[in-house]
Amino acid sequence: MTSLTAYLSEIVGRAFAACGLPAELGRTQVSDRPDLGQFQCNGALAAAKIARKPPRAVAEAVVDALRAEEAFAGIAIAGPGFVNLTLTDGFLGAHIAAMAGDARLGVPARPDPLTVILDFGGPNVAKPMHVGHLRATIIGDSLQRLYRFLGDRTISDVHLGDWGLPMGMLITEIRNRRPDLPYFDEAYAGPYPDDAPVTLEDLEELYPVAAAACRDDPARLEEARAATAALQAHRPGYWALWRHFIRVSLAALDRDFGTLGVRFDLFKGEADVNDLIPAMIAHLTAKDLARRDEGALVVPVAEADDKQEIPPLILEKSDGGVMYGTTDLATIVDRVQSFDPDLVLYVVDQRQHLHFEQVFRAARKAGLSGKARLEHIGFGTMNGLDGRPFKTRAGGVMKLQDLIGAATDQAEARLTEAGLASDYPAEERADVARMVGIAAVKFADLSNWRMSNYIFDLDRFMRFEGRTGPYLQYAAVRIKSLLRKAADQGAEPGAILPPSDIERDLMLELARLPDAVAAAEAKRAPSELADFAYGAAQAFSRFYASCHILSEADRGVQASQLALSALTLRTLVQVLDLLGIEVPERM
Ligand code: ARG
């Protein structure tokens, strides 16, 4: 099914064509001035040049050609030549009835689906996943849900940070503390123990100590570098030890992502492409794209019209170690070989923008990216109430697990305050608190344009009124409860009638869903969906306040209003699902 705006654009486009003008000028959108009309087309202004007529004269000709259309109750020209359109209630009602009958709520599925790889999350081995990775996870997951809903084949990859110097730091720190372990005995022929010699807590304690030691002591840093190179060259003991780091870290990540309701198709890491690196480097060298610079192997990527200096991408340091950019480049090779994607989205902090610009340029120059369009989907920082990057009260990085715990506790307190879920079995109540806590955190993040910084303020995120996740959940739950009460008194949703003044705005709001989805895709911006959900919930709340559905005497009107309520519920549940937010059965 087509969206209202697509349908109107087509009708108005035909009117432009009838006037000998390009049909694209008929693009029609929701009006910025609802007092003048529900929809508007500004094409006459652009057409004036081509037509060599004043825009108003063009608008008049287009309007004349539209007179025969039955969809419109009002057609008017405003200002220099804006065409304002208002639909008949019959047309609007029929469109909403069609949306209600459509499994996709009027959102067209992509006729030729794309293969989309989403690289997000990006936590690092041995470091707790912190709030910096939270935004990547929340935004990335929402985009993954959006592309899947559009009908594309999506492949999400967590791209674990499991390679490079931090691994060498850990290995040497453990070696210094426990030189007796078999991993460090070069004469040992294996097999190595199945049980990890370290827990996640150990790793979290070891890493900062090791990093600080390497910062202070050049000899210690050299040791870590050498261990990294040995690991990358597959020294068996180091390799076995490193496998334990991965296993231990993945178990914790699995738990964190699970609580957030985020799933990945691939749990690959930087290390997975290690074996592709030599051939890739040979290819780049053969194509004369890589050259030696003070011992390091680099790919110059600067272009003539750069406004800012873009330094070369470093492939290999003088000691032979590979870099973050090298593994990212080899990961492109791997992804193109395995999936031949149309699009690869990297949902990573905007502060890494230069890195991705270098990697993408190198990939394109070397012809490594196949048909894929590579895009960095950056985002701003999450700040504390003091306006600085978010820290715990003690000044440390907040672990994701602790943050989720805090959100759930706060949700629990809010439920009590609001007198919600009070008489539920403990298990159900805990589940509601979990859903509300996570909704608060996710919605607060996704409702901002991703590039903006925002302030982490659980108190505000958790309110049941205003632009919050809990408000939207509550709005949906209220509709569920309305439908249950109606069913109890034998009233069921029925045919959707043309709107009266009470229903019209809600219908127009719901009809915008396909536009919101399209805008979210075009800008890679879940905030478009969040805005839409909030607008729809508010429109429903105004509608609900001005009618008395349960006591409506006209059964036809009642059935239609129930059907409109049910459609609003489905729409909210669908959009919240695209944001990764669950709706409880009741609360
Ligand atoms: N592990 C990285 C970090 O913590 C993020 C990885 C992002 N993805 C990528 N393909 N580079 O900063």
Side-chain angles (χ1 to χ4, degrees), residues 105 136 264 415 434 487 494:
L105 297 161
F264 289 90
L415 288 173
R434 175 189 63 81

Side-chain angles (χ1 to χ4, degrees), residues 119 122-124 133 159 161 270 324 328 346 348 352 355-356:
D119 176 316
N124 300 311
H133 298 111
H159 199 72
E270 297 164 350
Y324 186 38
D328 258 326
Y346 295 78
V348 186
Q352 295 194 24
H355 164 77
F356 286 108

Side-chain angles (χ1 to χ4, degrees), residues 371-587:
K371 64 172 162 30
R373 190 187 152 90
L374 308 172
E375 277 183 47
H376 174 215
I377 308 302
F379 52 80
T381 55
M382 188 170 112
N383 293 329
L385 287 168
D386 59 358
R388 322 264 299 265
F390 185 78
K391 294 266 160 65
T392 60
R393 247 171 249 161
V397 274
M398 169 83 100
K399 287 194 213 170
L400 192 58
Q401 204 191 343
D402 297 341
L403 184 136
I404 297 170
T408 311
D409 290 350
Q410 190 124 338
E412 175 80 37
R414 272 292 153 85
L415 288 173
T416 308
E417 254 169 56
L420 295 173
S422 51
D423 53 351
Y424 293 5
E427 204 175 306
E428 183 180 354
R429 192 183 151 92
D431 206 35
V432 172
R434 175 189 63 81
M435 287 188 216
V436 169
I438 288 175
V441 171
K442 285 189 177 177
F443 191 84
D445 191 300
L446 296 173
S447 58
N448 294 290
W449 160 235
R450 59 182 161 78
M451 293 293 240
S452 313
N453 300 339
Y454 72 97
I455 291 183
F456 188 81
D457 180 357
L458 262 189
D459 240 18
R460 198 165 55 77
F461 300 170
M462 209 62 78
R463 296 196 183 136
F464 279 104
E465 61 293 319
R467 276 173 64 95
T468 68
Y471 166 74
L472 288 168
Q473 284 175 316
Y474 190 57
V477 164
R478 273 208 327 182
I479 305 178
K480 289 192 184 187
S481 136
L482 163 71
L483 294 171
R484 270 197 300 265
K485 279 189 198 136
D488 284 348
Q489 61 182 57
E492 295 291 340
I496 291 185
L497 302 175
S500 69
D501 289 343
I502 297 171
E503 294 99 4
R504 196 176 298 110
D505 280 349
L506 175 59
M507 287 191 180
L508 287 168
E509 204 64 39
L510 296 178
R512 288 184 48 236
L513 176 66
D515 301 318
V517 170
E521 188 209 347
K523 301 181 199 163
R524 304 3 180 163
S527 53
E528 296 286 337
L529 299 169
D531 287 345
F532 169 83
Y534 184 57
Q538 279 192 308
F540 183 82
S541 154
R542 287 190 299 267
F543 154 77
Y544 191 59
S546 43
C547 57
H548 302 278
I549 304 182
L550 291 175
S551 55
E552 174 61 55
D554 184 325
R555 299 292 273 183
V557 168
Q558 185 184 51
S560 169
Q561 290 182 337
L562 286 172
L564 187 56
S565 305
L567 175 63
T568 307
L569 174 62
R570 268 177 66 206
T571 304
L572 283 177
V573 169
Q574 174 64 68
V575 176
L576 289 174
D577 181 65
L578 294 178
L579 299 174
I581 294 175
E582 292 174 88
V583 176
E585 239 359 84
R586 53 176 199 162
M587 65 197 254

